[in-house]
Amino acid sequence: MLTVVVSVAFSAAGMLSGLGRCHTFDRRADGYCRGEGCGAFLLRSTASSGVEVLGSAVQQDGPSASLTAPSGQAQQNVLVASIVDARLKVDEIATLEAHGTGTALGDPTEAGALVAVHSGATQRATPLGIGAAKASVGHGEAVSGQIGVLRACRLL
């Protein structure tokens, strides 16, 4: 981020917020804010560990109209794959950390994928909590995944 070249390109592509804020899942969403950060994890394998990774999944969007046009089906697929890997039911998930781009195209696509996957929950005792760190700290780019994990663990 020491050079303006990428910021200028992202701005020209309409990816950056003209308001200077990430308005994730908000009608004011007009893009995201670039940010930097560092996430650090100290992991220990014990029975008394406060945070445990039950499952994971990785997927790339595949072919799409453009860099800024996410695939809702790919997002659904990775959500389902992570739930299956964790051996959970959607009813057992209490909260999730969304990507939450703060863009008029990305947020509705992600929200649609979340609804498609989680709307089948029939035994949910409480509403599903959804958060997105970008609304608070911007898009950490290379560290955005770590920021999401820290926030989901309620460490941020």
Side-chain angles (χ1 to χ4, degrees), residues 10-132:
F10 285 179
S11 181
M15 297 164 58
L16 301 182
S17 171
L19 298 172
R21 293 198 47 103
C22 251
H23 290 96
T24 302
F25 301 123
D26 187 312
R27 62 181 160 75
R28 296 172 294 170
D30 70 338
Y32 72 89
C33 299
R34 295 186 76 204
E36 291 186 295
C38 175
F41 299 90
L42 176 63
L43 305 175
R44 177 173 64 181
S45 178
T46 68
S48 63
S49 179
V51 176
E52 182 180 2
V53 176
L54 299 178
S56 64
V58 176
Q59 184 163 338
Q60 196 269 348
D61 263 0
S64 61
S66 72
L67 173 66
T68 61
S71 166
Q73 186 60 56
Q75 290 183 14
Q76 288 179 47
N77 293 346
V78 76
L79 287 166
V80 169
S82 66
I83 293 167
V84 168
D85 187 56
R87 296 183 182 97
L88 292 173
K89 298 176 185 165
V90 292
D91 308 70
E92 298 174 295
I93 298 169
T95 185
L96 53 84
E97 176 67 13
H99 184 59
T101 61
T103 64
L105 180 59
D107 282 354
T109 301
E110 183 174 16
L114 294 173
V115 166
V117 171
H118 290 274
S119 64
T122 57
Q123 303 297 318
R124 184 174 302 285
T126 59
L128 175 66
I130 302 173

